[in-house]
Amino acid sequence: MTLSHDVYALPTFAALDSYAVLTGRRRGTSIQLDETYFTGQLWALRNLDTDSDFEHRTERLEDSRRAYDDIHVAIDELTEQALWETSQRFREQLQAIPEISYLTRNVPGRCFVVPEWMRTGNRLHYGARVYLFGDEDPPDPEAVLRENIESIVNESFGTFERYQGQLHGYPDCCIDYYQDRTPDSPSPEWRSVEPFTDRIRDAALGQGPAMSIDDVVSTFLDREDGYAFFAREFFPESGCETAMAKGRSIYEELSSALPESLVRDYFRLNFGTNYLVARAVHSGRDRRPSPGELGREHLLWYAPPREALAVPRYT
C-alpha cells in the first residue's frame, strides 16, 4: 500500500488529514501552531526505536519553537485597521519560522500560515494556524485573515466559525449544531461525544506509553455514527447522516492506501481528542490534550507516517 500523494514529511495525524483533502474528501484542514505541535513531534522523534536520523529535524523543531515563543504581539486599539497592521507584522514573523518553510516546502497543494484572533469580552487572544488545501480553488490567506478580523471587530465570531468550518469541509448542519449554545444546556462539544462516553476508560487516560489506545477507547467503529469523527476537534451532531457518510468516504479512501488498523486508530484518536476537549469545556477549563494522553499511539501520531507504519501494530 502506498499513498498517491506525498505527505510523508508531515506528522502522521496531519498526513492523514491532508490525504483526505488531497483526494477530494474534504475541502481543507489545518494545524494549530502551538506547544503541543512542537513537543509532540520532539518527543516522538527522540524516542522512536529506529535507524532513522532525526537530528536535523529535531534541531529545526527546537529552533521553530523558540522562534514562536519569542513572538510577542501588542495592539493599542481594537479597530480593523490596527488589527490588520498588527496581523501583517505578526504573519511576517510567523513566515520566518523554520517550521513554516518546512511545511510549505513539503506539503502538496497549498499551505500557508495566518494569525488567528479570538475575543472574550474585552480581552483579545492570538495564535497561529497553518492551513492546508489542494491545488483547486484554495482560499486566499488575506481573505481568511480578513474574515477573522471583521468578526472580532464586529463581535460576530460565530460568522468566522461558520466560515472556518466550511474551509475544513464540515457539513453545514453540524456547523449549525456547533453554534447552538445556550447557558442552560450542555455544550455542543459534550453533546457530541456523550453518546460514546461508555467507550472511554477514564482511569487509563494520561498514562502515556504505558497504555495503548485499546486501553483508553474500546471498540469504536462497530457503530455507524463513529464514522462521523473524521477530524479532531470537529464535533458532529449526534446521528448526523451527512457526517457519517463523509466519514465513511474518508475511511474507505484512507483504507485503500494504508493499513486498516492505522485508519481505525485515526478515528479513535480523533474521538479521544474530542472527548478530552469536550470534558475540559464541560468542566469550565481551557486545555488541549497533551501528546500521549490517549496512549502510545497518540504519541506515534506525531511521528512521520513511515515510522508509524513500521511498528508491528500497523504492519
Side-chain angles (χ1 to χ4, degrees), residues 9 11 22 58 77 80 95 123 125 130 132 152 158-159 170 173 183 200 210-211 222 248 267 310 314:
L22 294 166
T58 56
E77 55 181 344
E80 188 170 326
Q95 289 173 316
R123 189 175 179 187
H125 310 269
V130 180
L132 304 95
I152 294 296
T159 303
Y170 300 155
C173 53
I200 288 279
M211 294 292 181
D222 57 323
R248 170 62 82 172
F267 276 76
Y314 302 132

Side-chain angles (χ1 to χ4, degrees), residues 26-28 116-118 129 131 133 139 143-144 147-148 150-152 155-181 188 233-235 237:
R26 290 177 59 186
R27 184 183 179 191
E116 187 166 76
W117 301 96
M118 292 187 67
R129 187 170 295 274
Y131 285 90
F133 296 93
V144 177
E147 289 279 349
N148 188 191
E150 289 179 355
S151 76
I152 294 296
E155 298 188 60
S156 57
F157 193 73
T159 303
F160 181 65
E161 279 186 332
R162 174 171 296 278
Y163 173 75
Q164 197 174 43
Q166 291 169 343
L167 291 182
H168 285 76
Y170 300 155
D172 285 339
C173 53
C174 290
I175 298 174
D176 290 339
Y177 159 82
Y178 184 75
Q179 294 191 312
D180 181 16
R181 296 175 181 271
E233 300 187 44
F234 162 61
F235 296 92
E237 182 177 11

Side-chain angles (χ1 to χ4, degrees), residues 4 11 14 41 59 64 67 72 98 101 124 147 155 177 191 196 212 229 231 279 296 300-301:
S4 58
Q41 290 188 82
E59 287 177 354
S64 296
H72 299 286
S101 298
L124 194 63
E147 289 279 349
E155 298 188 60
Y177 159 82
R191 298 199 309 268
F196 289 90
S212 165
F229 292 92
R279 192 175 67 169
R296 51 184 170 270
L300 198 59
W301 221 15

Side-chain angles (χ1 to χ4, degrees), residues 256-268:
S256 70
L258 295 163
E260 198 164 7
S261 55
L262 177 64
V263 183
R264 285 196 300 268
D265 280 356
Y266 173 67
F267 276 76
R268 280 202 287 183

Side-chain angles (χ1 to χ4, degrees), residues 180-194:
D180 181 16
R181 296 175 181 271
T182 58
D184 300 326
S185 64
S187 69
E189 290 91 345
W190 186 253
R191 298 199 309 268
S192 178
V193 303
E194 190 173 22

